[in-house]
Amino acid sequence: MTSLAERLRAGAYQAYAYAYPHKTAYRDLPEPVDLASLWAGEDRSQLFAYLHVPFCTYRCGFCNLFALGRPADDLVEAYTTQLERQIANVGRALGEHRIVRFAIGGGTPSYLAPAQLARLFNAAQRHLRVDVARVPAGIEVSPETATRERLAICRDAGIDRVSMGVQSFVDAELASLVRPAQRDEVVRAIGDIRALGFPTLNLDLIYGIPGQSAASLVNSLDSALAFAPEELYLYPLYVRAKTGLGRIEERRGTATDTRMTLYETARDTLLDAGYTQVSMRMFRAPHAPAQDGPAYCCQNDGMVGMGCGARSYTRRLHYSDHYGVARASVAQILREYVDAPADSFAYARYGYALDAGEERRRYVIQSLLTWPGLDERAYAARFGSAAFDDLPQLAELVALDLARRDDATLALTASGMAHADTIGPWLVSPVVQARMDTYAAR
Ligand SMILES: C[S@@+](CC[C@H](N)C(=O)[O-])C[C@H]1O[C@@H](n2cnc3c(N)ncnc32)[C@H](O)[C@@H]1O
Ligand code: SF4
């Protein structure tokens, strides 16, 4: 395994470790896994239900999420119907369970027609018994689709968090990202979100955009802060294979990497404005609602993903549909999803089976990269062993002052947080890494 010092020399932006193992490590499973038996062996008292809607008004140049821009209306309708069927099937497979967190993401779920959105909320309520009004429940929206009518349906259903992609308030930077300029729509949508009383507004911004300077980034941050969002996500730009920007970069070559300087500027601006840093990307405002209720704990609990492109996590198996980025691949995978017989949703066919070592590694990665860090006692209670015995490489973090160990909690320092996209990939096991390296992007 490469030392952390060596990894750091390879650059601060190696990969976003938002899930472990990464979806590019998933493969066809040796045989289909029956979901009812799989979930029967899990703690189903604190589950996260996630619905994926892989449609957007346009396909942004930077985006490698599983999403299709400008889909045909009949595909969107067929997808909604199929997703309702899948929700019913998964609800049956889960049996007795309790959902403590709910989200509908994408893509852009607000691309759906108001009536289609309402159908999905009803299906979640009916088949999964999600009490949307009582559990933390979020939706991802783009500015132009976040219409008053759709937002009202979300608010009536009980959605309490709206997350909107803005990326930049500077038109020239949106052009560099191959995303339409829409400041007026952003302002209008935020006005509607506020008028309807959603407790949490999150805005996404990107840094490291070609042509972006520290001054223009601060300008975007100031524009965002004027709306007092309860949360703000700051994403470093990654130019990935099969995306519009990926193709442009192949022709023009790689631009100078300005991300670390911009990150430090943005982080300090948000800290000065009173925001708390939760992870490398996430900042929370002092006026954000308290996180109460039965807490979903991502490193411990199950995730039930529905819709094409959604991932599901049990302790020992992570599964999803196939994954693609290029338009033709996404379209083909969506076709297969829409045409699948309803009973096919009773099985998992593609994913990653975690052994005991991977399960522990996942717990460490998920906890360490988020404030307040890795609770060594909670780890020992869960696995019956010590995190530093299982992963002795963690000592390197302390030696390099990227993390501190106080009262049995291993927490990233400011420098560690800035290097989360190096630390995450460094913690990937050789087996998972080998799978990721042999994944053929499509
Ligand atoms: C599901 S979208 C947000 C909602 C909506 N689809 C929109 O774009 O307005 C997820 C977010 O991921 C971020 N993102 C996606 N791909 C990225 C990339 N290659 N580099 C940096 N950020 C990226 C963007 O900030 C984007 O807003
Ligand atoms: S950034 Fe959002 S709107 Fe743009 S393609 Fe990705 S999911 Fe769709």
Side-chain angles (χ1 to χ4, degrees):
M1 176 145 325
T2 330
S3 78
L4 182 53
E6 266 172 73
R7 286 302 288 238
L8 290 168
R9 281 193 288 280
Y13 300 96
Q14 297 181 18
Y16 178 15
Y18 56 88
Y20 181 81
H22 192 262
K23 60 190 174 221
T24 54
Y26 291 15
R27 294 292 183 274
D28 287 324
L29 299 171
E31 51 190 54
V33 174
D34 173 58
L35 293 187
S37 321
L38 176 69
W39 282 102
E42 295 287 314
D43 174 4
R44 283 162 289 135
S45 66
Q46 305 207 96
L47 297 176
F48 182 166
Y50 172 77
L51 306 185
H52 191 79
V53 179
F55 303 117
C56 301
T57 317
Y58 35 75
R59 179 62 151 169
C60 305
F62 57 86
C63 184
N64 74 335
L65 299 173
F66 184 81
L68 188 72
R70 296 171 281 104
D73 289 348
D74 59 352
L75 175 64
V76 178
E77 174 56 26
Y79 183 85
T80 308
T81 306
Q82 187 72 320
L83 180 48
E84 286 176 296
R85 275 193 208 115
Q86 184 181 15
I87 295 169
N89 267 274
V90 170
R92 272 195 294 280
L94 286 176
E96 196 59 38
H97 69 274
R98 187 164 67 117
I99 306 289
V100 296
R101 183 173 283 264
F102 176 74
I104 171 162
T108 307
S110 50
Y111 184 84
L112 296 182
Q116 291 169 332
L117 266 179
R119 278 162 55 195
L120 294 185
F121 291 135
N122 286 339
Q125 229 128 23
R126 182 156 160 230
H127 301 295
L128 303 172
R129 292 183 298 286
V130 183
D131 193 348
V132 181
R134 281 175 187 259
V135 301
I139 187 164
E140 288 171 2
V141 303
S142 64
E144 80 292 344
T145 57
T147 61
R148 182 83 173 210
E149 188 186 3
R150 290 183 180 105
L151 289 168
I153 283 174
C154 295
R155 191 69 194 119
D156 288 347
I159 295 285
D160 61 10
R161 177 182 187 270
V162 179
S163 175
M164 185 162 74
V166 175
Q167 325 310 353
S168 169
F169 283 90
V170 179
D171 288 355
E173 291 174 9
L174 290 170
S176 298
L177 289 174
V178 193
R179 170 154 167 134
Q182 44 184 187
R183 197 190 177 106
D184 293 349
E185 279 297 306
V186 170
V187 174
R188 195 262 323 138
I190 295 176
D192 284 337
I193 292 165
R194 290 310 195 195
L196 288 162
F198 288 95
T200 301
L201 165 67
N202 174 75
L203 300 178
D204 291 340
L205 292 178
I206 294 183
Y207 60 94
I209 305 169
Q212 190 178 41
S213 64
S216 70
L217 175 58
V218 170
N219 181 341
S220 276
L221 282 167
D222 286 344
S223 299
L225 290 174
F227 300 109
E230 283 69 28
E231 292 172 8
L232 221 146
Y233 266 79
L234 275 181
Y235 288 94
L237 178 65
Y238 274 95
V239 176
R240 296 185 170 108
K242 307 282 175 192
T243 62
L245 287 193
R247 287 192 294 274
I248 292 174
E249 197 175 85
E250 273 169 28
R251 286 201 307 275
R252 295 197 195 147
T254 316
T256 317
D257 191 352
T258 53
R259 287 173 291 185
M260 186 53 84
T261 323
L262 294 175
Y263 165 79
E264 287 169 354
T265 304
R267 175 199 59 197
D268 294 346
T269 304
L270 291 176
L271 295 179
D272 287 348
Y275 281 68
T276 303
Q277 184 164 21
V278 179
S279 67
M280 184 178 127
R281 288 168 175 73
M282 187 195 182
F283 293 81
R284 186 174 287 130
H287 60 275
Q291 314 268 302
D292 50 17
Y296 169 82
C297 178
C298 71
Q299 58 275 62
N300 265 328
D301 300 329
M303 153 92 93
V304 189
M306 287 149 284
C308 191
R311 276 164 287 165
S312 298
Y313 309 142
T314 63
R315 265 175 316 132
R316 287 299 176 88
L317 183 70
H318 290 188
Y319 61 90
S320 73
D321 294 292
H322 286 95
Y323 168 64
V325 176
R327 186 173 177 88
S329 309
V330 175
Q332 187 200 338
I333 296 166
L334 271 172
R335 243 308 125 218
E336 285 163 13
Y337 174 85
V338 164
D339 291 342
D343 58 8
S344 70
F345 293 125
Y347 298 92
R349 291 187 176 76
Y350 182 73
Y352 194 100
L354 290 83
D355 62 19
E358 298 295 7
E359 204 192 324
R360 287 167 154 82
R361 213 174 257 280
R362 169 175 190 262
Y363 188 100
V364 168
I365 297 174
Q366 304 279 101
S367 325
L368 180 65
L369 301 185
T370 307
W371 188 258
L374 171 66
D375 178 338
E376 294 178 52
R377 290 194 193 97
Y379 179 97
R382 163 134 182 207
F383 297 111
S385 56
F388 274 72
D389 291 344
D390 292 341
L391 281 174
Q393 70 186 117
L394 291 174
E396 273 189 74
L397 287 166
V398 181
L400 292 169
D401 200 32
L402 295 169
R404 290 213 184 97
R405 213 174 164 188
D406 288 320
D407 191 26
T409 297
L410 182 71
L412 294 182
T413 59
S415 169
M417 206 51 117
H419 291 92
D421 282 11
T422 309
I423 296 169
W426 165 70
L427 285 167
V428 170
S429 75
V431 176
V432 169
Q433 189 63 54
R435 287 249 210 139
M436 292 167 69
D437 292 345
T438 53
Y439 173 80
R442 56 186 285 209

